[in-house]
Amino acid sequence: MTKSTFSSSDAAAPSASPVSRRTVLKTLAAGTAGALAAPYIRPAYAAPAQLRALMWEVYAVPDIVGAFEEKHKIKFSPTFFDGNSEAYNKLRIGGTRDFDLVQADGFWPGLYFREKLIRDIDYAKIPNTANVYPVFKPDRFKLLTDEASGKHFGVTWCWGSYGTTYNAGEVPKEKVQTIEVLFDPAFSGRLATSARFEENIALTGILAATRLGTKDKPRPDGKSFNPYVLTDEELAEVEKLLIQQKPLLLTRYQDNTTLQQLLESGAIVAAPEFAQVYRVLVQKKDKGEISADFSHQLVPKEGGLGWVDTWLVTTGVTDPATLDICHDFMNTFLAPENIKKISLIAGSSATVDLRSISTPEEQKLYLMDRTEELSSMYMFDQPSSTEKWERVWSRVQAA
Amino acid sequence: MKPRVAPAIFLGIPTVFLVGLFVLPLLSMLVLSVWRTENYHIIRDFSFHNYEVLATEGAYITFLVRSLVMASAVSLICTLLAWPIAYGITLYGGRYKLLFSLAFAVPFLTGEVLRIIALQGLLGPLGLLNGVLLSLGAAPLRVIMYTNVASAIGLVYLYLPIVVTVIYLSLLNFDQRLIDAATIFGASPARAFFEVTWPLNLFGTLIGFALCFIPCLSATLAPRFLGGPNGTLYGMAMAQQFGESGTWALGAAMGVVLFAVSVLLVVGVARLIDLRRTGFTGFGRG
């Protein structure tokens, strides 16, 4: 038996080298290593199991996310943040490995890109970007394009201003057309502003530069006026104005619900906000739930602040399959029927033209015919020196 | 060997815990405080600039003074309220003593943010108090709407249960027969209280005071949601450095200063008071 077996083997593989114990051990070791590493090694085009997003909670609309999960057989895992600085800190401490997508507004996408926290995006892979209003296209909206390389790194999807919502029965329209209304002693104790220090300083910066007559004069940096790049003289004026404003304020609101209550109850008559509370109040009025009339001044005559929310892809996304999923997620998000749903839930104006699928009331409420006004606004930006701005804000709070 | 293993485990675990979760973070704060930030970037240049800013910039001194005043007032109010409550439970609680003291812990079943927001609703323009006043045709009470008074109410609401519990536990361990002895020897109830009950429960009272005072010193939520434009306290200003302004190094220096102030206050009180006469039993029998 033994002999015949040997013979047969030799006959079948006459040139094969004998299998040594070392070869067997090597094979076993390689197999074991392969088996252990398999879950962590993803073939180049394998579909990812999940899509991880760092985002504002209000925009995670369950049925849109659910449909996307179903389509791609993928788990959408959102992590929510309160503000850009929180998201920035998360990304800086290794978050690019933990998140595929991130949301940001204003200057933050540019900062992320310069710090290599996010990667460039090909708009051709996101066909719905073609539906955004002209004012949000890269040739006019420059905040999502790297000046040096010309690469695009963000997708816009909603926008707003930091205009003034006011009780039309209490505040005359001509008064609210200027930022001065927020400093008017006639409304003492019946005003509120947001607790965000950047917007308080920047909005007051517009007023300060207007009063000082420096807004339209040549700037030290050779660029046009930007309320986030104020001179020391303008910052000193801002500080003075904000201190004068303090006795006129009932509070600095922390959230939209509080602001809504303050306006609804008549405790305050005007406050700058992102028009989200205004929309809630108008809808309540239409349903007969409140009697007061509320209006919103989008841009004051001195100039106003505007913001655009964006989706970004982190530099942790290097695998083409995950990048494709990211592109499709952003495309799904921008689909007219989806962005309308998100817009209505969040109370934000969409950057996509939704007029054909919206009622006249929705078009008016969501400022669909007023997107061009964005070009007259100063975009949320990074303060020229957060340290200087922090000192100004602290002095105002302590005064 | 055996007798040495138990102390090593029982002291070793807390030591590792404290070193890992308290000493190391504190040291990292200390290191961060001598660096600086520049537009959301940490610059690792060693200097005491942040401490100079805190010592010379009036705003931060104002925040600290405001916080010290607020913490003192709130702790005093909590102690004054907690004593009769705890004493009442001890004297008249009967078999429901434990139930009464636990009832004070019920608010802890919800989060601090939730409690503060609920209070904001209660004290706010549409809240219960002002709602009743408005429905009666009266003007709303502006003093409780976004003021330091509102912050103080919020902090008392947050920390009163802790002070009550600590004083109650102190009274629970106090030998009531000492009062009987004092009265038998002719002391009036008031004298028995001030010469026996109060001094022998002073240590528990001080612990309750400190457990209210120290968190009040760094309070963030109550001044943020209830305090209004003039209500910024030190903890809230410190939180701002780690939030939107991104001036983390200055925030770290503020944290170190707060820690130092808290330690100095505790040490100061401990030195001023003879612990042996306060009901403190931690010195052992020797």
Side-chain angles (χ1 to χ4, degrees), chain B residues 82-107:
Chain B
W83 248 99
I85 295 168
Y87 205 40
I89 294 173
T90 319
L91 290 183
Y92 309 112
R95 58 186 176 142
Y96 298 111
K97 272 182 200 169
L98 187 64
L99 206 61
F100 283 129
S101 62
L102 283 176
F104 270 87
V106 167

Side-chain angles (χ1 to χ4, degrees), chain A residues 28-237:
Chain A
L28 279 175
T32 310
L36 287 172
Y40 305 100
I41 299 171
R42 195 181 294 282
Y45 293 99
Q50 62 169 342
L51 184 65
R52 305 154 306 167
L54 186 56
M55 64 189 293
W56 282 289
E57 189 169 4
V58 69
Y59 301 121
V61 176
D63 52 343
I64 296 173
V65 168
F68 184 81
E69 286 180 323
E70 186 60 35
K71 179 184 168 189
H72 289 278
K73 304 290 177 218
I74 198 171
K75 171 94 182 124
F76 181 77
S77 308
T79 299
F80 304 121
F81 61 80
D82 284 328
N84 288 295
S85 49
E86 185 188 337
Y88 177 57
N89 288 335
K90 280 198 163 88
L91 289 181
R92 274 168 56 94
I93 54 168
T96 53
R97 289 191 302 273
D98 301 326
F99 303 104
D100 306 310
L101 289 162
V102 60
Q103 288 182 340
D105 65 21
F107 68 90
W108 292 92
L111 181 69
Y112 290 178
F113 191 75
R114 285 196 298 279
E115 299 205 353
K116 298 183 171 55
L117 299 172
I118 56 167
R119 55 168 295 157
D120 57 308
I121 286 173
D122 181 2
Y123 289 147
K125 301 267 177 67
I126 310 164
N128 283 328
T129 52
N131 301 329
V132 299
Y133 288 97
V135 73
F136 301 107
K137 299 245 162 127
D139 57 325
R140 292 181 61 191
F141 191 74
K142 304 286 187 191
L143 281 176
L144 299 176
T145 304
D146 181 45
E147 272 183 50
S149 63
K151 286 179 176 171
H152 308 304
F153 47 77
V155 169
T156 69
W157 51 276
C158 85
W159 71 282
S161 76
Y162 188 61
T164 308
T165 294
Y166 63 101
N167 185 326
E170 300 276 350
V171 185
K173 189 173 171 53
E174 62 276 10
K175 282 210 168 193
V176 87
Q177 285 169 343
T178 162
I179 302 170
E180 300 274 3
V181 72
L182 301 172
F183 299 83
D184 190 339
F187 305 112
S188 179
R190 303 174 76 198
L191 298 168
T193 67
S194 119
R196 293 162 65 109
F197 88 114
E198 295 113 313
E199 279 65 70
N200 273 296
I201 293 179
L203 191 68
T204 311
I206 300 172
L207 182 63
T210 307
R211 283 188 179 184
L212 292 169
T214 54
K215 194 157 77 87
D216 301 316
K217 286 190 176 161
R219 308 289 302 170
D221 59 2
K223 296 180 179 173
S224 55
F225 175 74
N226 177 353
Y228 289 88
V229 185
L230 298 171
T231 62
D232 287 350
E233 184 198 9
E234 288 163 345
L235 270 178
E237 181 67 13

